[in-house]
Amino acid sequence: MIKHVRAAAGAVALWFDPARVRAEGTTPDYRFSLANERTFLAWLRTALALVGGGFAVDQFLRDLRRPVRVTLAVVLVVGGAMCAVRAVNHWVRSERAMRRGEDLPVSRFPALLAVLVALVAVAMLLTAVLGWAG
């Protein structure tokens, strides 16, 4: 357990120390590093959209029952926060893999995010069709 906590803390420390990431292996073609950065920024835009959507649900769907509205808002905001954390983690893991000449890391997060967004969409559709007003 302590070993896993130390490994996680070390991984998070890399998020804030790009010089340590850069010191590993050899410098990849800059196009790959820039593509990795663009992917990171795309994930951040997605995170911001989810957070904004969560606040929009809470502020503008006042006719929904409060528990439904708050649940949808919280799911969206938490999904956005998870997306932002995943973005930086994936950026560091990908950059390290490229510098080491390793395969790029795989992640289940895109599938998890897609399911989360689909569930919110279904909940919103049911809300619109069934009229769950408060």
Side-chain angles (χ1 to χ4, degrees):
M1 172 73 173
I2 292 176
K3 186 171 141 181
H4 293 296
V5 171
R6 284 186 184 149
V12 170
L14 282 176
W15 298 356
F16 302 98
D17 194 359
R20 269 185 48 206
V21 173
R22 196 170 188 195
E24 290 190 35
T26 58
T27 302
D29 185 328
Y30 289 108
R31 292 174 292 183
F32 299 124
S33 289
L34 292 172
N36 189 29
E37 186 174 319
R38 285 190 302 273
T39 302
F40 166 75
L41 293 171
W43 278 104
L44 284 184
R45 284 190 301 273
T46 301
L48 286 169
L50 289 168
V51 170
F55 281 104
V57 164
D58 185 54
Q59 292 299 309
F60 299 117
L61 298 181
R62 291 292 182 181
D63 290 340
L64 284 181
R65 289 186 189 152
R66 188 176 191 306
V68 173
R69 188 179 77 238
V70 169
T71 300
L72 290 172
V74 166
V75 167
L76 287 167
V77 171
V78 168
M82 289 172 46
C83 194
V85 169
R86 187 263 182 204
V88 70
N89 185 53
H90 190 74
W91 176 83
V92 168
R93 290 174 55 218
S94 295
E95 194 66 27
R96 289 176 79 194
M98 287 188 296
R99 293 177 104 26
R100 294 173 176 173
E102 300 172 352
D103 288 339
L104 292 177
V106 296
S107 175
R108 291 184 185 101
F109 189 80
L112 174 67
L113 183 62
V115 168
L116 175 84
V117 170
L119 290 174
V120 169
V122 167
M124 295 296 291
L125 182 64
L126 288 173
T127 299
V129 170
L130 299 176
W132 289 340

